[in-house]
């Protein structure tokens, strides 16, 4: 019986993730276009792209490693699906959440980047390799600020005994109480770590200022995915669409209080509105920023971002000073 | 239930019989395999029903103790020993009799070390292992390998001399208390009689710690390992990296743990232990990042991975120290969690590092190179070796569903539970660096893109260990509960003092307090379902015939590059951007790793002086 409900939760969260990701990806492109005084695509554009790719010819470059080349996109997709299930849609006691799940989330999100690295290297293309190299640099730079800003809320939860690494506890802690008249969200209590986390998720989703460095079309065609085409590229496209939901949901659960104290359908809606706000912020960031060089990526993330996150980690360890 | 003495004796006898392989090398192959297989079976038998009687070798003071902890160590020795012997059957071609003799004696010594709880015998067996592995490092007998062996001997013997000094000091103290004889140096006797005390006792234990810490290559004493293992045959590198540094080094932890009562400030002692682990982890992974030689890269990584083991075990000790200070049973949960994590990483590292070294050996056997930038498309050229190395790389990099992830996850959890999130963050960064350097290896050596003829896999005796170890990696990755239940939980129970045991069940407290082990089953189910959905989406596309493009069609590079498929240096598959901010740090590290033995010995001396000052000043 439990298995059935887990399965039901899994499929519904995949559906939610895909639907929300689709709309937010469309919004991302449309809003960017409006900001740049263009018309922009119609609402069905993301799914139309995927369907078009699905109808294309399937090919493997002759020198590519065939097995890895074909399997990599599926692994990436399934990792994102599992992530969409583990991260609760703003609901406390969500069926997919699980004690000590923050580190699993961190690792699965790294795995989704590793898939790109391995796919790029397996495609036997120079551009793929350069893209893979840049993706690796990105993993290295983002990992440390990301783990610290993930840990800040869990350290802040530490009452008398031990910290908790469960998203569930973090949501529950935020939906009760208040902080100087404001809601008891961690973004108000630990704003610096929230900024670091926002910077990290833009990179994880793959939008500017730093996220598109591995796929810089002006320099290296399409980075790791240069050789990909047809259905396999379609799978990668779906993964990208779903990433829009997964990482903004993670931010909302950690720092924006999930879905608040509303009853069932309302809390998910409130959660999705918050996610949408994150998407708006990300879109604006993407539009107003120029491309950066690859050397800027570790420089910014391992200095500014890391310091922001560390300051709040120290504050959290000292009990919210 | 078998007397552990027979295991040691069987291995020694087998070593002498294997000298006959000068006549026919098959004698050495067969007797080596049979003896180690016998030892493995006996160890497993001892795990099921422990030997309780008085051992044969106790007459001369070995003091063999059979419990969960010692059986765990013996299991590691026997498992990897069997793999080493199997791999040697076709890997070693020259000087077979000498090779088997010294290998079997080393395994016998390690087997004795894992069961023995007597200080003086631990010292003697450690020296036997050290001296017997020197001719193995110099196996090829060229100038480089002899240099490596001599370096190894100098540093090891310099460091182990401190063990003897420490034992001298302790024996002086206990003889003042009226105890004498070799059995007064049994570790459990020292722990229960509380005969050691004062600054002098602390000094003695710290000196013993330093001696064993040189085997367990903690940060300032790690320098011998990469030099020694680069020149040795792959089997011996594996022996050194997985068994010498773990089994011969773990008394450094164990003696500190059992004799913590001597110290006035045990919390600080264990904090120093953890900090040494963290420094080891981070510095050595940074060094590994800059390597091009495959074996040297693996060597630096194993020092770095030992850092994880040390952090886990250190949290075990720290939790116990806090427990004695506060009397709060929650700390006992942290302690058992840390110990389980450390020991789990120990066995996981043993498995995947031997797998990687065997893979490197197989590559060297077929292609005669150790230089990563000369390897290409190995996954296509040597499929089985390639897949095995891929599994090993993903395991060491801590990718979920492989064994490295489970133990690293438990280590992060215990760091956070012990209130050290910064340590967890550094450990995650070190893990990311490990991942990056193995992605570099996978991308350039295994995936590659050039057309290469099919080299083929090594002979079957070399394939068997690769297959077995890969399967173990995946089993412990998919189902850590097996390892925790049958290996680690008994080992941890044997370490926690009997007095507190009846009051608490560490396993349930572990699970409750601490997240316990990662419940992988439903995660695997979800991932499989995800893969299936992806496959369905892919099947839904109308054209699914696979076209493989002509191999002549290289990607269009606009004439910018002469050769479309570039080597590792030119494409910068290593994240050069990351090296840039760390270049000054790397330069400092390069300057102190000169390869000159005098410098290394003075490092050790400086470390010893630091610890002695710390003891005399009353800090710990």
């Amino acid at each position: 019986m439990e298995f059935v409900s887990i399965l039901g939760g899994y499929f519904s969260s995949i559906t939610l993730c895909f639907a929300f990701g689709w709309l937010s990806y469309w919004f991302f492109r449309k809003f960017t276009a409006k900001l740049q005084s263009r018309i922009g695509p119609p609402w069905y554009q993301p799914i139309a792209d995927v369907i078009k790719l699905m109808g294309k010819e399937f090919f493997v470059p002759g020198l590519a490693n065939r097995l890895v080349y074909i399997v990599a996109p599926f692994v990436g997709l399934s990792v994102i699906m599992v992530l969409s299930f583990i991260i609760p849609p703003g609901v406390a006691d969500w069926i997919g959440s699980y004690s000590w799940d923050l580190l699993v989330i961190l690792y699965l999100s790294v795995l989704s980047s590793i898939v790109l690295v391995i796919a790029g290297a397996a495609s036997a293309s120079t551009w793929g390799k350069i893209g893979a190299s840049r993706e690796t640099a990105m993993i290295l730079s983002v990992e440390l600020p990301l783990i610290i800003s993930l840990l800040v809320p869990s350290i802040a939860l530490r009452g008398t005994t031990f910290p908790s690494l469960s998203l569930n506890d973090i949501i529950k802690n935020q939906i009760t109480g208040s902080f100087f008249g404001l809601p008891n969200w961690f973004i108000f209590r630990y704003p610096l770590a929230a900024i670091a986390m926002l910077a990290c998720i833009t990179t994880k989703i793959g939008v500017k200022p730093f996220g598109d460095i591995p796929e810089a079309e002006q320099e290296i065609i399409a980075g790791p995915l240069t050789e990909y085409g047809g259905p396999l590229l379609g799978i990668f496209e779906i993964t990208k669409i779903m990433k829009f939901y997964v990482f903004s949901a993670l931010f909302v659960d950690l720092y924006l209080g999930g879905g608040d104290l509303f009853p069932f359908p309302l809390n998910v809606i409130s959660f999705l509105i918050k996610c949408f706000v994150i998407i708006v912020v990300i879109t604006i960031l993407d539009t107003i920023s120029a491309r950066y060089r690859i050397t800027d990526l570790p420089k910014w993330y391992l200095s500014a971002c890391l310091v922001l996150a560390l300051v709040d980690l120290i504050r959290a360890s000292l009990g919210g000073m | 239930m078998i007397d552990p003495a027979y295991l040691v004796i069987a291995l020694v006898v087998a070593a002498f019989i294997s000298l006959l392989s000068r006549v026919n090398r098959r004698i050495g192959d067969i007797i080596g395999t049979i003896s180690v297989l016998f030892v493995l079976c006996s160890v497993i038998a001892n795990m099921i029903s422990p030997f309780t009687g008085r051992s044969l070798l106790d007459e001369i003071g070995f003091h063999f103790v059979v419990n969960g902890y010692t059986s765990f160590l013996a299991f590691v020795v026997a498992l990897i020993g069997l793999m080493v012997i199997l791999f040697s059957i076709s890997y070693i071609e020259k000087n077979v009799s000498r090779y088997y003799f010294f290998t079997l004696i080393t395994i016998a010594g390690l087997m004795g070390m894992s069961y023995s709880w007597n200080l003086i015998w631990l010292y003697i067996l450690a020296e036997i292992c050290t001296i017997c592995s020197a001719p193995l490092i110099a196996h090829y007998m060229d100038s480089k390998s002899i240099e490596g062996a001599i370096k190894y001997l100098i540093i090891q013997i310099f460091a182990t001399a401190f063990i003897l000094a420490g034992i001298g000091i302790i024996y002086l103290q206990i003889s003042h208390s009226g105890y004498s004889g070799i059995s007064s140096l049994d570790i459990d006797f020292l722990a229960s009689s509380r005969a050691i005390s004062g600054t002098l006792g602390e000094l003695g234990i710290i000196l013993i710690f330093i001696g064993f810490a040189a085997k367990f290559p903690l940060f300032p004493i790690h320098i011998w390992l990469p030099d020694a293992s680069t020149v040795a045959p792959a089997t011996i590198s594996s022996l050194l990296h997985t068994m010498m540094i773990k089994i011969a080094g773990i008394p450094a932890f164990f003696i500190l743990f059992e004799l913590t009562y001597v110290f006035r400030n045990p919390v600080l002692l264990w904090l120093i232990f953890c900090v040494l682990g963290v420094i080891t982890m981070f510095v050595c992974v940074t060094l590994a990042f800059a390597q091009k030689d495959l074996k040297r890269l693996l060597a630096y990584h194993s020092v770095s991975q030992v850092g994880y083991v040390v952090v886990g075990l250190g949290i075990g000790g720290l939790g116990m120290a806090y427990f004695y200070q506060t009397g709060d049973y929650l700390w006992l949960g942290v302690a058992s969690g840390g110990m389980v994590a450390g020991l789990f990483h120990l066995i996981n590292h043993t498995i995947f590092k031997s797998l990687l070294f065997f893979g490197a050996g197989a590559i060297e056997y077929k292609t005669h190179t150790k230089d990563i930038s000369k390897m290409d498309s190995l996954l296509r050229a040597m499929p089985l070796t390639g897949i095995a190395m891929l599994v090993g790389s993903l395991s060491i990099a801590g990718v979920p569903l492989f064994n490295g992830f489970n133990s690293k996850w438990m280590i992060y959890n215990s760091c956070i539970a012990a209130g050290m999130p910064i340590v967890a963050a550094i450990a995650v960064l070190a893990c990311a660096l490990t991942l990056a350097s193995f992605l570099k290896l996978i991308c350039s050596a295994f995936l590659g893109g050039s057309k290469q003829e099919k080299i083929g896999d090594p002979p079957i005796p070399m394939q068997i260990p690769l297959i077995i170890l890969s399967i173990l990696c995946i089993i412990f990755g998919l189902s850590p509960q097996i390892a925790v239940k049958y290996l680690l939980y008994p080992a941890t129970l044997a370490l926690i003092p009997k007095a507190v045991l009846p009051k608490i069940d560490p396993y349930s407290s572990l699970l409750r307090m601490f997240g316990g082990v990662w419940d992988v089953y439903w995660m695997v189910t979800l991932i499989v379902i995800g893969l299936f959905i992806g496959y369905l989406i892919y099947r839904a596309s109308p054209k699914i015939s696979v076209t493989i493009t002509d191999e002549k069609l290289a990607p269009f590079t606009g004439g910018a590059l002469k050769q479309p498929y570039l080597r590792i240096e030119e494409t910068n598959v290593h994240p050069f951007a990351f090296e840039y901010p760390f270049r000054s740090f790397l330069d400092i590290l390069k300057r102190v790793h000169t390869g000159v033995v005098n410098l290394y010995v003075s490092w050790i001396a400086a470390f010893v002086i630091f610890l002695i000052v710390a003891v005399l000043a009353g800090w710990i």
Side-chain angles (χ1 to χ4, degrees), chain B residues 107-119:
Chain B
I107 296 175
L110 290 165
M111 187 55 75
M113 277 193 88
S114 51
Y115 276 122
S116 176
W117 275 19
N118 184 286
L119 272 184

Side-chain angles (χ1 to χ4, degrees), chain A residues 3 6-7 10-11 14 50-51 53-79 81-83 85-86 95-108 110-111 113-114 117-127 129-130 132-141 143-145 147-148 151 154-155 158 160-165 221 226-227 231-232 234-235 238 294-299 302 310 313-314 317, chain B residues 289 328 330-331 334 376-377 379-380 387 390 394 397-400 405 408-409 412-414 416-419 421-422 424-429 431-437 439-440 442-444 446-452 511-520 522-523 525-531 533-538 540-551 553-558 560-561 563-568 571-578 580-582:
Chain A
F3 183 73
I6 285 181
L7 217 58
Y10 188 34
F11 285 121
I14 289 171
V50 171
I51 291 171
L53 284 170
M54 286 297 168
K56 296 270 181 181
E57 192 187 5
F58 181 109
F59 69 92
V60 181
L63 288 171
N65 190 294
R66 210 166 302 155
L67 177 75
V68 180
Y69 181 87
I70 295 176
V71 169
F74 296 106
V75 176
L77 181 65
S78 75
V79 163
M81 283 177 177
V82 174
L83 264 179
F85 179 47
I86 298 178
I95 186 161
S97 62
Y98 138 8
S99 61
W100 304 79
D101 54 4
L102 273 184
L103 287 172
V104 177
I105 290 171
L106 178 83
Y107 263 84
L108 289 179
V110 176
L111 194 56
S113 302
I114 295 173
V117 176
I118 289 186
S123 65
S125 151
T126 311
W127 310 121
K129 279 191 173 180
I130 297 173
S133 149
R134 291 184 173 197
E135 189 78 35
T136 318
M138 201 174 90
I139 297 174
L140 280 179
S141 316
E143 185 98 337
L144 193 58
I147 169 89
I148 292 179
L151 285 182
S154 79
I155 299 294
R158 182 176 52 176
T160 49
T161 51
F162 297 108
S164 160
L165 274 181
I221 322 288
T226 305
E227 291 294 319
L232 293 183
I235 302 275
I238 297 173
I294 178 72
T295 43
D296 293 330
L297 181 70
K299 203 159 64 187
L302 292 177
L310 268 181
L313 182 72
I314 293 166
S317 322
Chain B
F289 207 66
D328 188 350
L330 295 177
W331 283 111
V334 174
D376 202 356
S377 301
L379 199 55
R380 186 203 302 244
I387 290 173
L390 201 62
L394 294 176
V399 173
F405 173 74
K408 283 184 179 176
W409 188 72
Y412 305 145
N413 278 0
S414 47
I416 292 163
I422 296 283
I426 295 174
V428 172
L429 180 69
C431 184
L433 283 164
T434 312
L435 177 68
S437 70
L439 282 178
K440 174 173 114 179
I442 293 171
C443 292
S444 76
F446 291 103
L447 298 175
S450 63
K451 179 102 179 88
Q452 191 164 9
L511 289 179
R512 196 179 63 247
M513 280 315 304
F514 181 70
V517 289
W518 187 33
D519 186 9
V520 187
W522 67 272
M523 189 65 72
T525 319
L526 294 183
I527 286 181
V528 169
I529 294 172
L531 283 176
I533 295 173
Y535 178 72
L536 284 184
I537 295 172
Y538 155 74
S541 65
K543 293 179 198 164
I544 47 164
S545 62
V546 178
T547 319
I548 291 165
T549 54
D550 191 348
E551 301 201 337
L553 288 178
F556 177 65
T557 57
L561 303 159
Q563 201 203 356
Y565 300 118
L566 294 182
R567 310 281 336 151
I568 181 168
T571 45
N572 277 321
V573 171
H574 63 286
F576 67 100
F578 190 75
Y580 182 68
F582 273 86

Side-chain angles (χ1 to χ4, degrees), chain B residues 369-390:
Chain B
T369 182
K370 290 186 295 186
D371 192 347
I372 297 175
S373 52
K374 286 188 186 132
M375 299 171 189
D376 202 356
S377 301
L378 285 177
L379 199 55
R380 186 203 302 244
M382 304 168 73
L384 192 128
T385 317
I387 290 173
M389 287 285 272
L390 201 62

Side-chain angles (χ1 to χ4, degrees), chain B residues 58-329:
Chain B
D58 281 4
E59 299 298 328
I60 52 170
F62 265 88
H63 191 55
F64 280 143
V65 174
V66 183
N67 59 22
Y69 172 73
T70 53
S71 299
F72 168 74
L73 298 183
F75 177 73
V76 174
V77 173
L79 178 71
I80 304 301
L82 183 61
M83 297 301 140
V84 165
I85 298 285
L86 279 178
F87 199 81
S88 309
I89 289 175
S90 38
Y91 181 68
I92 298 295
E93 286 160 346
K94 286 178 193 160
N95 294 330
V96 183
S97 61
R98 194 182 68 189
Y99 173 84
Y100 274 127
F101 178 73
F102 284 116
T103 310
L104 287 169
I105 291 280
T106 309
I107 296 175
L110 290 165
M111 187 55 75
M113 277 193 88
S114 51
Y115 276 122
S116 176
W117 275 19
N118 184 286
L119 272 184
I120 195 82
W121 276 108
L122 277 178
Y123 166 72
I124 292 170
L125 291 168
E127 286 288 40
I128 288 175
C129 294
T130 307
I131 292 168
C132 288
S133 47
L136 294 172
I137 292 171
H139 182 75
Y140 293 129
M141 286 312 235
D142 48 11
S143 60
K144 265 193 166 177
S145 57
I146 291 174
E147 188 196 333
I150 291 174
K151 256 186 206 175
Y152 167 77
L153 267 186
I154 291 174
I155 294 174
Q156 284 295 311
I157 289 179
F158 179 71
T160 40
F162 291 107
I163 304 180
L164 200 58
I167 293 176
I169 291 173
I170 288 179
Y171 193 69
L172 188 72
Q173 265 209 336
I174 54 176
S175 61
H176 276 308
S177 314
Y179 303 108
S180 67
I182 195 168
S183 62
S184 62
L185 283 169
D186 291 350
I187 292 169
D188 41 359
F189 171 76
L190 290 176
S192 59
S193 71
R194 308 216 154 208
I196 317 169
S197 61
T199 312
L200 207 58
E202 289 183 4
L203 196 64
I205 292 173
I206 284 293
L207 287 175
I208 295 176
F209 167 74
I210 291 163
F212 285 115
K215 300 268 192 295
F216 215 33
L218 279 178
F219 166 59
I221 327 181
H222 67 277
I223 2 197
W224 59 273
L225 188 60
D227 283 337
S229 59
T230 315
V231 291
T235 47
I236 298 311
S237 307
S238 158
L239 194 77
L240 280 177
H241 280 261
T242 58
M243 282 145 69
M244 279 298 281
I245 68 176
K246 302 285 166 44
I247 308 303
I250 206 161
F253 157 76
F254 174 64
I255 291 168
L256 273 193
F257 186 79
E258 287 289 309
L259 305 180
T260 311
Y261 72 86
V262 180
F263 292 89
R264 278 163 290 180
N265 194 352
V267 171
L268 192 64
L269 173 80
W270 288 109
L271 276 179
I272 289 179
F273 196 77
C274 288
V275 167
L276 282 177
V278 173
I279 295 175
T280 311
M281 187 193 290
F282 187 71
V283 168
C284 294
V285 83
T286 326
L287 281 166
F289 207 66
Q291 305 302 327
K292 271 188 211 160
D293 183 318
L294 179 54
K295 276 187 173 172
R296 194 168 266 272
L297 179 132
L298 294 178
Y300 275 115
H301 273 300
S302 54
V303 186
S304 156
Q305 298 297 312
V306 164
Y308 283 90
V309 178
V310 167
V311 167
L313 295 178
I315 286 170
L318 192 68
M320 286 308 280
Y322 276 130
F323 169 66
Y324 287 130
Q325 224 172 43
T326 61
D328 188 350
Y329 279 96

